[in-house]
Structure formats: C-alpha cells, structure tokens
Amino acid sequence: MPRTPAENERIRQATKEQILKAAMELFFSKGYHATSIDDVAKTAKISKGLLYHYFKGKEDLIAALVDLRLQDLLFVMEAAAAKPTPAEQIRHIAEGALEDVRRKPEVFRFYLNLFTQPRLDPVVAKYSQRLMDEQEKQFEVQTEMFTKLGVANPRKRSIYFSSTLQGIMLMFSTYPNTFPLDEVKAQVIEEFCSP
Amino acid sequence: MPRTPAENERIRQATKEQILKAAMELFFSKGYHATSIDDVAKTAKISKGLLYHYFKGKEDLIAALVDLRLQDLLFVMEAAAAKPTPAEQIRHIAEGALEDVRRKPEVFRFYLNLFTQPRLDPVVAKYSQRLMDEQEKQFEVQTEMFTKLGVANPRKRSIYFSSTLQGIMLMFSTYPNTFPLDEVKAQVIEEFCSP
Amino acid sequence: MPRTPAENERIRQATKEQILKAAMELFFSKGYHATSIDDVAKTAKISKGLLYHYFKGKEDLIAALVDLRLQDLLFVMEAAAAKPTPAEQIRHIAEGALEDVRRKPEVFRFYLNLFTQPRLDPVVAKYSQRLMDEQEKQFEVQTEMFTKLGVANPRKRSIYFSSTLQGIMLMFSTYPNTFPLDEVKAQVIEEFCSP
Amino acid sequence: MPRTPAENERIRQATKEQILKAAMELFFSKGYHATSIDDVAKTAKISKGLLYHYFKGKEDLIAALVDLRLQDLLFVMEAAAAKPTPAEQIRHIAEGALEDVRRKPEVFRFYLNLFTQPRLDPVVAKYSQRLMDEQEKQFEVQTEMFTKLGVANPRKRSIYFSSTLQGIMLMFSTYPNTFPLDEVKAQVIEEFCSP
DNA sequence: TATGAATGAGCTTTCATTCAT
DNA sequence: AATGAATGAAAGCTCATTCAT
C-alpha cells in the first residue's frame, strides 16, 4: 500500500528542511561557490539525486535561503510597524537588527556578503538584487516612521540611521568577540529614537 | 639584439600592470569566482602561459590586488596622521574614505565583499583576514586620535565612528545614484570632528 | 472487498495499454533516448513504480512496441496472402504499406529510425534486428508471389519492389504535406502488379 | 620560443581531424546517444578537456559531421550538374549515390538514421532538419533535369526517382551482403535516364 | 495494485594549471 | 619573454532503477 499523501508531505518537508539546513551550514561557513552539491548532500546525509528531486539545482538552494531571509526581514519590519509610537517602532528596528546579528553574526555576514556580490556575477547577482530591493522597500517604511517622529529631514535621517545600523552590524559580525554591542546599541537608540 | 636589463624590467612591470588591470576590471564586475584565468589573459591581451609566468596562479592575482588595497588604506592613514590636529586627522580619514567610495563604488564593494567572505572559504579567506588585520591596526591609530581629541570614551567613540563610516560606504556603494553623500558626509564630519 | 480475478485482469490490461499508448506518443514524437521513464509515467498518469510493475524497464517498452509493429506487419502480409491472385496479393502489400504510412507517417518514421539504428547501439540494436528479420521473412513470401506472377527474375523484381515501396514511404513520411502519394501509388501498382 | 602560428594551425587541424574521425567511427557504429564524450576522447587518444578546446560540446561534433555530409552531397550534385546532357546528369546522381552507399553503407545508414530522427528530439532534430532542407534543394535541381530530359510529368518523375534511389540505398545499407546492387543500379539507370 | 521517495552510476562540461616549443 | 595546446580533477546534473510502505 502506498504512503498516504499526508505522510509523503511530511517526509518531503522534513527532507527539504534537512537539505536547507545543510546548505545553510555550508554556505555560511564556506560560501556559495566553495560549497559543492556533493558537500550539501553528504552533510544532509542524502544522495545527490534526492537533492535534485527537491531542488532544481544549486541556485535553487540559495534562492530558498534568500526567501527565508526575506521573510525574517519582513517579520521584524511588521513587528516594528505594529508598535504604537514611531519612537518605539524605530527602536524595534534597531533592536531587532542588532539582536539578530548578535545571535548569528555569521548569518548576517553571509547575507551581507551576498548583498555585496559584484553586479555581474552570473548566478548570485539576482539574489543580491532581491535583498537590495527588499531593503529599499523597508527603507521607505522606515522613512515614514521618521516623518511621524517629527524630525527635520526624515529622509536624510532615515538614511543616516540605516547606514549607522548597517555599519554596526558589519563591524560586529567582523569582530564579534571584541565589539561592545550593548554600549553602541544604547547610543544608537538614544540618538535616533527621540525627536 | 637582446634587450638591455633595464628595458626588460620596464616590459616586465608594464605587463604585470596590464594583467592586474585586467584582473581588477573583471573581479570588480563579475567577482573572483566567476572570472576565469582565460578571461583575465584575454582581457589583458596576453597568453595564459605568460600570466603564469608573472603570477603563481589565480590566487596570486587576488593577493596582489589586496596588497594594492592595503597600500591605499595605509596611504590615507599616513596622510591623516600628518595633519596637525586630531580634528583634522579624523576629518581626513572620513573624507578620504568617502571620496574614495564616491569615485569607485564598485571597488569598495568588491573589497567589502572580500572582507565579508565566509571564514572557511579555502582560497579567499586569507585575504579577507589580511584586510581585517589592517583595519584593526588602523583602528588603534584612529582611537589614539580620538583620545587626543579629548572625547569621553575614545575607544567607543572610535568604534562608533568606524561603524558609521563603514555603514555609509556600504549604503553609498549599494545605491550610488540616490544616496545623498554630500549631506551625510557633512553630518559625519560635524558629529565626529569636534570634541 | 477484493476485486474478482477477472476484474483484476481487466485493470491490468487497461493499465498496460495506457502505458504503451503513452510510450508510443512520446517515443514517436521525441524519440527513445529523449524520452524518460518519468515522462512516460506522467503521460500515462501512473506512478513510476507501477510502470516497473508492468514492464521490466525502459527497454521492455520498446520491445512491446516492436512486437505490436511486427504483428501489424504480419497482419498485412497474411491479408495479402489470402488474396486469390498474385497480382492482388502484391497490390495489397503496396496498398497496405502506403495507406499505413499515409495514416501515421510519424509512426513509420519512428520504426524506420529504429530500423536504421547503428548496429552496436547497446540497447536499441536488438529491436532493429528483429524488424530486419521480419522484413526478410516477408521478403521471401513476397518473392514467391512474384514467382507466381510469372515475372522474369522474381527475386530481383521483389527486391526492386521492396526498395521502391520503402523509398516512397521514407519520402512520404519526410514530406507528408507535399508528397503526391496517390499518383505515386497508382504508378507503383501499375508497374508491379502486372506480369 | 613559442610555436609559429602556422605550426599551431597545423596541430589544430590535425587534432580536430583526429577527433572528428573518432566521433565518426563511434557515431556510425554506436549512434549519437550511445556515444559518450569520454568514448570520443579515448578513441581519439586525447583528453576530454582538449576535445572541449576544439568543439563546443557533443552537439558541435554532430554539427561538424553533418556539415561534412552536406558538402559531400553538394559535391555530387555539382558534378552532376556539370554533365552535358540531362540523361548523363541524372545518371551521375544515381551512380554517385549508389556508389557512395556501396563504399560506406554504415555511413549512409547513420545519416539516414539522423534523417529519420523524431522531429522533437531536443538536440538531434535540427541536424535532421538541415539534411532535409538540403535534400529539398537538391530535389528542385533534379526536377529541372527531368524537365530538360523531356519527360511527361517531371516533378512526379523526379519524386519517383528520388524515392526509388532512397529505397535502394536503404535496402542496400540494410543488407549489404545480399543486395544485388549492380543489377538494380542498371535497372534504375535504364528506367530513368531515357526520355 | 499502487505510490513516489530514494539511490548512484554515469553523463556533459568547466577550468586552473602544466608543458613543449 | 611568450604562446596556446594539452591535461585531469572536479563540478553540476540526469535518469533508469529500487524499495519501503
């Protein structure tokens, strides 16, 4: 008797997750190009063939990871938007971003690396672009928050805020052991979360 | 009739530069992994064999590019150190960095990409490390400047300054057409160059 | 409640036919090598596993198709042999063959393609051989017909007849839209069906 | 000192020929699909890499072979056209074709196999098409010859001639040991080369 | 009878590097 | 100093077939 569709679906999801987990682990530590499909399959303890049963190819793996990342970013943004005051909203963005990088600096590092990929890389560029597009969308929302906060030049303020935040995350993910994240975080919040 | 040794040396230097120029052009636009040795040789209009005569391999090319970059960074730092007052020194660092990224955003982007390379990439990681080491050294010098400037917590201030600067460069190199670099630059200088 | 054995048998036959129909459709249009087992199963709307339940493998599919083809050829030959006079017998062969190719040029094309397969193709060659063997057997029967017809050199005549017929079928199946099959058929019959 | 361009060209041509010869040998005996690039490289006694240095891929090999074939066909046709009378022209076509298949039945067989490839085979179909196109062009020329010969319905006559010729070649290449080519050839010439 | 997840051998192709000249 | 023919390891991917259910 064949497995039930539900059972199959369960197996599918479990295996896909297993594969994505392996891909993450390897991409994060060795990078996309230095990771081979064979590596991923071995790490996920499945055959290469099965990997191709679930993903169209190596590129599909990074596409899936980028999708997950975009969901995460969106999630933080939505949680921020749900806050009652603009000050709290901006504070949530800052804290969300900084706590995220604190927990998994190498993950941030990986996506930043993807983000800074040369624009003509034949495979990776399009995922870099997706991340940039999302960031741009979120930037608009964030500018609106600064407007409501009542600062003088909200667009410029928003840019400066994003730059500072990105810079901190970049620095922290580079020197996770020595960077004084708490202090810096406090200063950011002090500086940007009051009108 | 054989060339003179001096003539030979001139040709050698010219050819090496030609190769490095080609490598830069390609690495900056397509990235290290997507660029093949064949590409570099063709772009430099020389044979693959000759390329291997001057450079040990593909990795040696990126090593040379990183060396050039380190020289550039050092040069800015030395010029800054030569300024009479700490305020001017810090201002020079900020202006040097920002004008550099303004001129060649894709170059900064490339080195930032290298900088954020996963730590276990078997070939690229070590150049990533070199850039990090140099940045750390410069950070110490810069902290000294902030000390002389007389700010309360110079180490923290220096970190915050670096983060901001790096963040701005990252953002500008991502959105070179819309980022208001002049305004932001003015603000940075205002914020960090007075005690 | 279990199915009756008769019911089971009916389902078996229906499924096998479904699979063979799918295989035909795909082999005829894309060819044996370009058709995957997955294609066949999907087209037949059954699972891969079930396909393997009914057929030993991909090769078994082509074996079944060749068997069907041989039956068809045999059928025409037997119908011809049943005709009262040799002239009518030969005429029946010609008409049978030409009407067959008229109806399904791509089918003839496929078997001709199989027929002309290189002799060392590790999987397909043996089916090519079967078709050749059958044709040879039929050729003997046909030569006997020409003998009865009373032509001078019946063997040579039979060969010439077969060649002409095969040539016409080849040409028609290549240019089904422009080839004047009726005219040519009439000429063939005129030329070969009188002593 | 590097090799001279002329010397390089000589090496290139020799190696390319070596590869094409190996490809022919294998394609003719095992078929396109059953022949791997590895087979070809091993037979040509070169590395796989070198094969790709000279040919873009497996498909490029068959493209080259088809080009050679088209040249051969064209050559026969031009030689025929150079004959003074239409009867001699047609005779030359018949003899050219039949002598060619006599010499290398497996070559004809291979190209016929290619010619009869299913129309949707993703790689091979286009070369099949090229052969068909060329045959159609030659058919027009041949029809003109029959017109000059003064037969009643030259187009039909030309079709019938081509069909017969193709049929003979098909039969001979199938049964090269028993097919009475000389006799049949004589009959063809008798039948088609007089007004 | 029926499913589709899972395997693994083998394929085409790329590319850093070497080597004869 | 200079060329480009030649190599070979390793990559991404396909697919006939098997197997647990």
Side-chain angles (χ1 to χ4, degrees):
Chain A
M1 299 302 129
R3 294 194 192 86
T4 65
E7 174 71 358
N8 266 327
E9 186 56 24
R10 209 188 47 73
I11 292 176
R12 288 182 68 82
Q13 289 311 321
T15 308
K16 280 188 95 163
E17 243 170 70
Q18 204 176 334
I19 294 169
L20 280 179
K21 212 182 126 206
M24 277 177 167
E25 187 183 323
L26 292 166
F27 287 178
F28 292 166
S29 63
K30 303 173 31 174
Y32 177 78
H33 285 109
T35 300
S36 74
I37 286 288
D38 220 69
D39 285 340
V40 179
K42 282 212 176 83
T43 303
K45 284 175 187 156
I46 52 144
S47 67
K48 253 190 298 187
L50 191 58
L51 194 155
Y52 278 92
H53 186 65
Y54 288 110
F55 294 91
K56 276 196 291 255
K58 196 179 172 185
E59 200 179 328
D60 207 24
L61 286 175
I62 206 163
L65 295 189
V66 167
D67 282 345
L68 288 177
R69 178 68 177 177
L70 292 180
Q71 277 174 32
D72 279 1
L73 294 180
L74 207 61
F75 181 75
V76 168
M77 213 57 189
E78 280 170 353
K83 297 283 170 187
T85 68
E88 281 173 286
Q89 290 175 342
I90 291 165
R91 184 193 177 108
H92 189 273
I93 289 174
E95 289 197 323
L98 296 180
E99 289 309 317
D100 184 63
V101 73
R102 188 207 302 275
R103 246 171 323 188
K104 303 175 203 156
E106 79 291 356
V107 174
F108 172 80
R109 205 175 146 91
F110 174 73
Y111 287 107
L112 179 55
N113 182 256
L114 201 57
F115 189 79
T116 57
Q117 214 63 31
R119 284 181 160 74
L120 297 181
D121 181 302
V123 280
V124 177
K126 84 171 76 154
Y127 303 103
S128 172
Q129 188 61 45
R130 272 198 209 165
L131 290 168
M132 281 165 56
D133 291 347
E134 179 62 23
Q135 201 181 69
E136 216 162 350
K137 265 171 50 191
Q138 298 203 354
F139 174 74
E140 296 304 327
V141 177
Q142 178 187 290
T143 302
E144 186 59 25
M145 293 172 180
F146 276 105
T147 306
K148 285 188 188 133
L149 190 64
V151 299
N153 185 340
R155 186 161 196 92
K156 180 180 155 194
R157 194 77 188 138
S158 183
I159 283 175
Y160 200 74
F161 174 66
S162 286
S163 300
T164 306
L165 221 49
Q166 292 287 330
I168 292 166
M169 292 194 283
L170 163 56
M171 293 291 281
F172 177 78
S173 70
T174 308
Y175 308 102
N177 299 318
T178 56
F179 191 98
L181 187 58
D182 286 314
E183 289 177 62
V184 173
K185 181 173 137 191
Q187 182 166 354
V188 166
I189 287 168
E190 190 203 317
E191 196 168 331
F192 289 95
C193 297
S194 38
Chain B
M1 53 198 79
R3 299 194 192 86
T4 66
E7 179 70 0
N8 261 335
E9 185 55 24
R10 211 187 46 74
I11 291 177
R12 287 183 60 85
Q13 288 312 319
T15 306
K16 279 190 91 163
E17 251 172 60
Q18 208 175 335
I19 294 170
L20 280 178
K21 212 181 126 208
M24 277 176 166
E25 188 184 322
L26 292 167
F27 288 178
F28 292 166
S29 62
K30 304 178 16 177
Y32 177 77
H33 285 107
T35 299
S36 71
I37 286 287
D38 224 74
D39 282 341
V40 179
K42 281 211 176 80
T43 303
K45 285 173 187 158
I46 51 135
S47 69
K48 257 189 299 191
L50 193 57
L51 194 155
Y52 275 89
H53 182 72
Y54 285 113
F55 295 91
K56 269 185 295 211
K58 196 179 172 183
E59 198 179 329
D60 206 25
L61 285 176
I62 208 165
L65 293 189
V66 168
D67 282 346
L68 287 178
R69 178 68 177 176
L70 292 179
Q71 278 173 33
D72 278 1
L73 294 179
L74 207 61
F75 180 76
V76 168
M77 215 56 190
E78 282 170 352
K83 297 282 170 186
T85 69
E88 281 174 290
Q89 289 174 342
I90 291 164
R91 182 191 179 110
H92 189 273
I93 289 174
E95 289 196 324
L98 296 180
E99 290 309 317
D100 185 62
V101 73
R102 188 208 299 277
R103 259 186 320 254
K104 302 177 201 158
E106 79 288 356
V107 174
F108 172 78
R109 205 174 147 92
F110 174 74
Y111 286 107
L112 179 55
N113 183 256
L114 203 58
F115 189 78
T116 57
Q117 212 63 31
R119 285 185 161 72
L120 297 181
D121 181 302
V123 346
V124 178
K126 82 172 75 153
Y127 304 102
S128 172
Q129 188 60 45
R130 271 199 212 163
L131 289 168
M132 281 166 54
D133 291 348
E134 178 61 24
Q135 201 181 68
E136 215 162 353
K137 266 169 50 191
Q138 297 203 354
F139 175 75
E140 295 305 326
V141 177
Q142 179 186 288
T143 303
E144 186 60 26
M145 292 172 182
F146 275 106
T147 307
K148 284 187 189 135
L149 190 63
V151 299
N153 185 341
R155 183 161 197 91
K156 178 180 156 195
R157 194 78 189 138
S158 182
I159 283 175
Y160 200 72
F161 174 67
S162 286
S163 300
T164 306
L165 220 50
Q166 291 287 331
I168 291 166
M169 292 194 283
L170 163 55
M171 294 290 281
F172 177 78
S173 71
T174 308
Y175 310 101
N177 299 316
T178 56
F179 192 98
L181 187 58
D182 286 313
E183 291 176 59
V184 173
K185 182 173 136 191
Q187 182 165 355
V188 166
I189 288 169
E190 191 202 317
E191 198 166 313
F192 289 96
C193 297
S194 38
Chain C
M1 54 199 75
R3 298 193 193 85
T4 67
E7 178 70 359
N8 261 336
E9 184 55 23
R10 210 186 46 75
I11 291 177
R12 287 182 60 84
Q13 287 312 318
T15 306
K16 279 190 90 164
E17 251 170 60
Q18 208 175 335
I19 295 169
L20 281 178
K21 212 182 127 208
M24 278 177 164
E25 188 183 321
L26 292 166
F27 287 178
F28 292 166
S29 62
K30 304 177 17 177
Y32 176 78
H33 286 107
T35 299
S36 71
I37 286 287
D38 224 73
D39 283 339
V40 178
K42 281 210 176 81
T43 303
K45 287 174 186 156
I46 52 135
S47 69
K48 259 190 297 191
L50 194 56
L51 194 154
Y52 274 90
H53 181 71
Y54 286 112
F55 294 92
K56 269 184 295 213
K58 197 178 172 184
E59 198 179 330
D60 206 23
L61 285 175
I62 208 165
L65 294 190
V66 167
D67 282 346
L68 288 178
R69 178 69 177 176
L70 292 179
Q71 278 173 34
D72 278 1
L73 294 179
L74 207 60
F75 180 76
V76 168
M77 215 56 191
E78 281 169 354
K83 296 284 170 184
T85 69
E88 280 174 289
Q89 290 175 340
I90 291 164
R91 182 190 179 110
H92 189 272
I93 290 174
E95 289 196 324
L98 296 181
E99 290 309 317
D100 184 63
V101 72
R102 188 208 300 277
R103 260 187 320 254
K104 303 177 204 154
E106 79 288 358
V107 174
F108 172 79
R109 206 175 146 93
F110 174 73
Y111 287 108
L112 179 55
N113 183 256
L114 203 57
F115 189 78
T116 57
Q117 212 62 32
R119 285 185 161 74
L120 297 181
D121 181 302
V123 347
V124 178
K126 82 171 75 152
Y127 304 102
S128 172
Q129 189 60 46
R130 273 199 209 161
L131 288 168
M132 281 165 55
D133 291 349
E134 178 61 22
Q135 200 181 70
E136 215 162 352
K137 266 170 50 191
Q138 296 202 356
F139 175 75
E140 296 305 328
V141 177
Q142 179 186 288
T143 302
E144 186 59 26
M145 292 172 183
F146 275 105
T147 306
K148 283 186 190 138
L149 189 65
V151 299
N153 185 340
R155 185 163 197 87
K156 179 181 156 194
R157 194 77 188 139
S158 182
I159 284 174
Y160 200 73
F161 174 67
S162 286
S163 300
T164 306
L165 220 50
Q166 293 286 331
I168 292 166
M169 292 194 284
L170 163 57
M171 294 291 279
F172 177 79
S173 71
T174 308
Y175 310 102
N177 299 317
T178 55
F179 192 97
L181 188 59
D182 286 313
E183 289 177 61
V184 172
K185 183 173 135 189
Q187 183 166 353
V188 165
I189 288 170
E190 191 202 315
E191 196 165 330
F192 289 96
C193 297
S194 38
Chain D
M1 301 298 130
R3 292 194 194 86
T4 65
E7 174 71 358
N8 267 326
E9 187 55 26
R10 208 187 48 74
I11 291 176
R12 288 182 67 82
Q13 289 311 321
T15 308
K16 280 188 94 163
E17 243 170 71
Q18 206 176 331
I19 295 169
L20 280 179
K21 213 182 126 204
M24 277 177 166
E25 187 183 322
L26 291 166
F27 287 177
F28 291 167
S29 62
K30 303 173 34 174
Y32 177 78
H33 286 110
T35 300
S36 74
I37 286 288
D38 218 68
D39 285 340
V40 178
K42 282 213 176 82
T43 304
K45 285 174 187 156
I46 52 145
S47 67
K48 257 190 293 188
L50 191 57
L51 196 154
Y52 278 91
H53 185 66
Y54 287 111
F55 294 92
K56 277 196 289 258
K58 196 178 170 183
E59 200 179 328
D60 207 24
L61 286 175
I62 205 164
L65 294 190
V66 167
D67 282 346
L68 288 177
R69 178 67 177 177
L70 291 179
Q71 278 174 33
D72 278 1
L73 294 179
L74 206 61
F75 180 76
V76 168
M77 212 57 189
E78 280 170 353
K83 296 283 172 187
T85 69
E88 280 174 287
Q89 290 175 342
I90 291 164
R91 183 193 178 108
H92 189 272
I93 290 174
E95 289 197 324
L98 296 180
E99 290 309 317
D100 184 62
V101 72
R102 188 208 300 275
R103 247 169 314 170
K104 303 175 204 157
E106 79 290 356
V107 174
F108 173 80
R109 204 174 147 91
F110 174 74
Y111 287 107
L112 180 55
N113 181 256
L114 202 58
F115 189 79
T116 57
Q117 213 64 31
R119 284 182 161 73
L120 297 181
D121 181 301
V123 280
V124 178
K126 82 171 76 156
Y127 303 102
S128 172
Q129 189 61 47
R130 272 198 210 165
L131 290 168
M132 281 166 55
D133 290 348
E134 178 61 22
Q135 201 181 70
E136 215 162 351
K137 265 170 51 190
Q138 297 202 356
F139 174 74
E140 295 304 326
V141 176
Q142 179 185 290
T143 302
E144 185 60 26
M145 292 173 180
F146 276 105
T147 306
K148 284 188 188 135
L149 191 64
V151 300
N153 185 339
R155 184 160 198 91
K156 179 181 155 194
R157 195 78 188 139
S158 182
I159 284 174
Y160 199 74
F161 173 67
S162 285
S163 300
T164 305
L165 220 50
Q166 293 286 331
I168 292 166
M169 292 194 284
L170 163 57
M171 294 291 280
F172 177 79
S173 71
T174 309
Y175 309 103
N177 299 318
T178 56
F179 192 98
L181 187 59
D182 285 313
E183 288 177 61
V184 173
K185 181 172 136 191
Q187 183 165 353
V188 166
I189 287 168
E190 190 201 317
E191 197 165 333
F192 288 95
C193 297
S194 37

